[in-house]
Amino acid sequence: MNNKGQTLWILFFIVPGLSLVSIVIIYPLFASLLNSFYAWDGFTRMEFVGLQNFKTVFTQYPYNERFFNAIGNNLKWFISSMVIQNTFGLLFGYLLSRRIKGHEIYKRVFFMPVLLSIIAVGFLWKLYYNPQFGLFMKLFTALGWDFMNRAWLGDSSTATYAIILMNIWRWTGFPTLVFLAAMDNVPEECLESAHMDGTPEWTMFWKITFPLIIPAIMVITVLTLIGSINVFEQVYTMADLDGAPNYATDTLGTLFYRSAFGSQASTVPEISIGSSLSVIIYVLCLGLSVLNILGFQKKEVQL
Amino acid sequence: MILDFRFSHSSPVKKVLYILFQIILIGYVIVIIYPILNLLLSSFKTTREIFTNPFSFPAEWRFSNYVKVWQKGGFDMYFVNSIVITAIAMALVLLFGSMAANGIARYNYKMKMVVYLLFLSGIVLPLKAAIIPLFLLIKNLHLTDNRLSLILIFAAMGLPSTVFILSGFMKTIPKELEYAARIDGCNDLVIFQKIVIPLSMPSITLVTIYNIVPIWNDFFFPLIFISTDSKKTLPLGVASFFGQYQIAWDLIFAALSIAIVPMIIVYLFMSRYFIKGMTAGAVKG
């Protein structure tokens, strides 16, 4: 077959997909990087200002306060999800991998919320958290736990955690199933021979299973990181675009949205700020993922 | 399995642990199921009943909440929009994605790695963060408030993972099959259609589920691009309905059920595929 014919076939297969991805994904990615170096008047690009927009975000009030407040909340999302969601995921994954009685049912039930619309789940939990009529308050009253009856979403010290709890409910099934798949790949001979030698369960987990599932832990950590940086719908449904109360639940996602499109309550769009925030979001996603992968690679064990 | 976690023949400590673990697991099943069960029961009640008898069964199974939501709330339109947009976007993802994967996995040329990396750039970086230039682009194309904008964005969003998963699989299809077909006079398109695609079917099922769930549930892009009620998708429709009927809890519960229950029913029948498909990006196959 001649070479020119082959080139035409390659183009035929690749061009439709590649043009779509170039226009809708790659062009906007580079354009926001470029936009962040310019001043903006509404949706019109003005003069080149270098790193001025980033300086504004980091140092000028109120931008700096909003930015560090939001990123602090993203950090809360990451740490809480790692500690609660992924720890339970690890425990559940382990119990399921040991084929504990009922494991097939547990597996299917735990994963179900992962598929549900985050918008619907967020609104549902907002109703359940309602301090007067919400299901949770009715439950606490029925149980006699009156100290639990409070405006979880209205109090700035608890609001973010109340939203995170909803997300943990929604997402724990995901790490559970990823860890389960990783543990099912641990060769049975290793566990069997250790078992014959009388090695205790706990030691077997730490010395054999855990080192072998480090790649899965790495994947889940990176996904949790990217997920925590991109929190938006959760806050939108349960605390509105302004991160009520008083920006207590604001995240990079909602802050970025307000910078780009404004919100009814407080903000007008500022494309310069929005573009620099988007670049910061890229750098965080890309940089932290790479660091994480490099960090874990040293600890990875191969058979 | 020799290490089965069983109750009999084990030490008292293990027995206590086993019972504790079962309590935690059963407790978590209740934590997952009860909020959804309560949602369903509430959707048949009156608002007053939801407030006064939150735990009981509805005094009367009132389907009228659903009728109101479906007709007045416009959920019939939202549903149709979601189905049409998801179906066309998914068809484009599968068509363009399998073609591109074929072009990357089955040929050798200099720019191959560049093409592959261009496709993959969409995997780590969130497209949401690039919304400002994307918004300006769609505006300049006069596609705002047009369902076509969502179809194009969703199709592009699905391509990186599709190309990644499918090209990985297509590389493993033996070249001999292709050579044999060439001797019979088949051209590249026929080989793609008759050999590569049929053999890739398991991976194609996988990427379909991997992409269809996020597309069906996506809220961000409809929020940005769609403003006319008759063009809204289900998640956006739920959000505007929630804003409009904040105090009518009976209707809101019915609306949320419409958004949640169909997915659960599909999941009941296909849970194995969903679990495999959704974790496809994170689990080495």
Side-chain angles (χ1 to χ4, degrees):
Chain A
M1 184 173 200
N2 70 44
N3 237 335
K4 201 176 162 204
Q6 200 188 29
T7 309
L8 285 176
W9 277 117
I10 293 170
L11 288 176
F12 166 78
F13 283 121
I14 282 173
V15 165
L18 195 59
S19 17
L20 193 59
V21 165
S22 308
I23 295 168
V24 179
I25 299 182
I26 297 169
Y27 159 72
L29 287 177
F30 281 102
S32 31
L33 182 63
L34 197 66
N35 288 346
S36 67
F37 299 125
Y38 284 85
W40 285 77
D41 180 21
F43 280 116
T44 318
R45 199 162 75 187
M46 310 299 278
E47 76 277 9
F48 182 85
V49 293
L51 293 172
Q52 185 57 45
N53 294 329
F54 292 95
K55 211 178 147 196
T56 307
V57 170
F58 291 129
T59 60
Q60 191 182 317
Y61 183 85
Y63 303 103
N64 58 350
E65 196 177 291
R66 295 274 175 280
F67 173 73
F68 288 111
N69 170 54
I71 208 167
N73 282 330
N74 286 101
L75 193 66
K76 281 185 200 165
W77 272 86
F78 176 66
I79 293 172
S80 315
S81 307
M82 283 303 285
V83 171
I84 303 172
Q85 171 184 298
N86 296 346
T87 306
F88 270 100
L90 197 62
L91 173 67
F92 291 158
Y94 184 66
L95 295 175
L96 298 183
S97 79
R98 300 298 309 277
R99 304 292 183 262
I100 195 165
K101 203 173 174 199
H103 64 98
E104 284 288 342
I105 296 167
Y106 294 139
K107 181 165 113 179
R108 283 173 171 73
V109 173
F110 291 178
F111 196 72
M112 185 186 65
V114 168
L115 303 169
L116 303 182
S117 152
I118 185 165
I119 290 300
V121 173
F123 284 133
L124 179 64
W125 277 61
K126 189 182 186 181
L127 294 184
Y128 284 166
Y129 272 127
N130 185 295
Q132 266 181 294
F133 306 114
L135 179 70
F136 297 156
M137 304 312 134
K138 304 272 184 188
L139 267 177
F140 295 144
T141 309
L143 291 166
W145 297 353
D146 287 331
F147 64 98
M148 294 284 279
N149 272 337
R150 48 192 293 185
W152 293 101
L153 286 172
D155 183 335
S156 52
S157 62
T158 55
T160 290
Y161 295 106
I163 302 175
I164 296 175
L165 195 64
M166 177 280 294
N167 204 57
I168 290 175
W169 177 86
R170 199 177 71 90
W171 204 250
T172 300
F174 189 84
T176 300
L177 276 264
V178 172
F179 290 140
L180 170 63
M183 290 178 195
D184 280 349
N185 275 338
V186 173
E188 214 172 315
E189 309 86 68
C190 294
L191 294 171
E192 238 166 76
S193 56
H195 184 68
M196 297 297 184
D197 295 344
T199 316
E201 181 100 20
W202 184 247
T203 317
M204 281 201 326
F205 176 77
W206 278 114
K207 297 286 172 193
I208 301 171
T209 309
F210 191 79
L212 287 172
I213 62 162
I214 281 190
I217 293 175
M218 179 178 86
V219 167
I220 287 295
T221 309
V222 171
L223 290 179
T224 308
L225 197 63
I226 294 176
S228 307
I229 294 169
N230 286 309
V231 168
F232 172 76
E233 286 86 350
Q234 297 91 328
V235 179
Y236 180 93
T237 51
M238 295 177 74
D240 291 332
L241 276 173
D242 289 294
N246 195 25
Y247 301 108
T249 56
D250 204 13
T251 58
L252 279 182
T254 40
L255 179 65
F256 168 65
Y257 183 95
R258 292 202 308 275
S259 321
F261 300 103
S263 78
Q264 293 142 327
S266 59
T267 340
V268 286
E270 285 177 280
I271 301 298
S272 53
I273 301 296
S275 302
S276 26
L277 284 176
S278 64
V279 174
I280 293 169
I281 293 174
Y282 298 154
V283 172
L284 285 176
C285 283
L286 202 63
L288 292 175
S289 307
V290 170
L291 270 183
N292 197 308
I293 290 165
L294 290 178
F296 268 113
Q297 230 157 29
K298 284 179 203 151
K299 300 194 185 100
E300 198 170 321
V301 177
Q302 267 170 346
L303 278 181
Chain B
M1 197 179 179
I2 195 168
L3 293 167
D4 266 8
F5 218 45
R6 288 197 196 287
F7 188 68
S8 52
H9 313 301
S10 44
S11 63
V13 181
K14 259 198 164 172
K15 275 181 191 170
V16 170
L17 261 182
Y18 180 88
I19 292 169
L20 184 75
F21 285 146
Q22 279 291 2
I23 290 172
I24 294 176
L25 290 167
I26 292 169
Y28 197 63
V29 167
I30 295 169
V31 166
I32 296 282
I33 291 188
Y34 186 67
I36 294 172
L37 196 68
N38 189 277
L39 160 73
L40 269 180
L41 292 179
S42 301
S43 68
F44 292 103
K45 295 177 179 175
T46 62
T47 304
R48 173 180 292 275
E49 226 183 324
I50 296 170
F51 291 169
T52 50
N53 298 320
F55 309 119
S56 66
F57 280 88
E60 181 199 341
W61 295 83
R62 298 168 70 250
F63 284 90
S64 57
N65 291 343
Y66 283 94
V67 177
K68 274 186 213 160
V69 168
W70 193 257
Q71 289 170 349
K72 282 191 204 155
F75 274 68
D76 45 353
M77 297 178 309
Y78 304 152
F79 226 94
V80 171
N81 284 334
S82 269
I83 289 177
V84 171
I85 291 171
T86 308
I88 300 177
M90 209 49 231
L92 288 176
V93 169
L94 292 179
L95 177 67
F96 291 173
S98 59
M99 282 168 66
N102 185 64
I104 289 169
R106 311 287 299 168
Y107 297 91
N108 271 315
Y109 48 97
K110 271 187 210 156
M111 296 292 284
K112 188 167 148 160
M113 212 50 210
V114 178
V115 172
Y116 186 58
L117 287 177
L118 281 175
F119 272 110
L120 290 202
S121 61
I123 284 190
V124 185
L125 297 175
L127 182 58
K128 279 182 197 172
I131 191 65
I132 296 171
L134 190 57
F135 177 77
L136 295 174
L137 177 77
I138 296 284
K139 210 175 127 190
N140 290 334
L141 293 172
H142 302 289
L143 285 177
T144 39
D145 204 21
N146 185 332
R147 279 160 285 198
L148 186 59
S149 64
L150 294 182
I151 291 174
L152 291 177
I153 292 168
F154 291 156
M157 234 169 57
L159 279 173
S161 57
T162 304
V163 168
F164 177 68
I165 295 173
L166 286 186
S167 66
F169 183 83
M170 285 177 183
K171 264 178 215 149
T172 64
I173 298 173
K175 282 270 186 200
E176 287 73 24
L177 293 170
E178 191 183 320
Y179 298 145
R182 279 200 198 287
I183 291 166
D184 291 343
C186 296
N187 68 21
D188 297 48
L189 183 60
V190 178
I191 291 170
F192 173 63
Q193 284 176 324
K194 304 275 162 154
I195 296 175
V196 178
I197 287 291
L199 286 173
S200 307
M201 254 1 240
S203 303
I204 291 175
T205 321
L206 205 76
V207 293
T208 306
I209 288 173
Y210 185 80
N211 284 300
I212 209 166
V213 176
I215 291 177
W216 175 263
N217 285 336
D218 189 83
F219 171 69
F220 188 78
F221 294 106
L223 175 69
I224 306 284
F225 290 113
I226 302 296
S227 48
T228 308
D229 216 35
S230 62
K231 294 173 187 167
K232 284 177 180 168
T233 60
L234 199 52
L236 186 60
V238 168
S240 42
F241 190 85
F242 192 88
Q244 234 177 324
Y245 290 83
Q246 287 232 337
I247 42 167
W249 281 35
D250 51 347
L251 298 186
I252 290 193
F253 274 114
L256 293 179
S257 299
I258 292 177
I260 284 178
V261 174
M263 188 57 107
I264 295 181
I265 294 173
V266 177
Y267 177 70
L268 284 181
F269 290 102
M270 300 179 59
S271 55
R272 213 164 52 89
Y273 294 97
F274 274 100
I275 289 173
K276 225 181 152 208
M278 289 288 287
T279 53
V283 175
K284 264 191 279 186

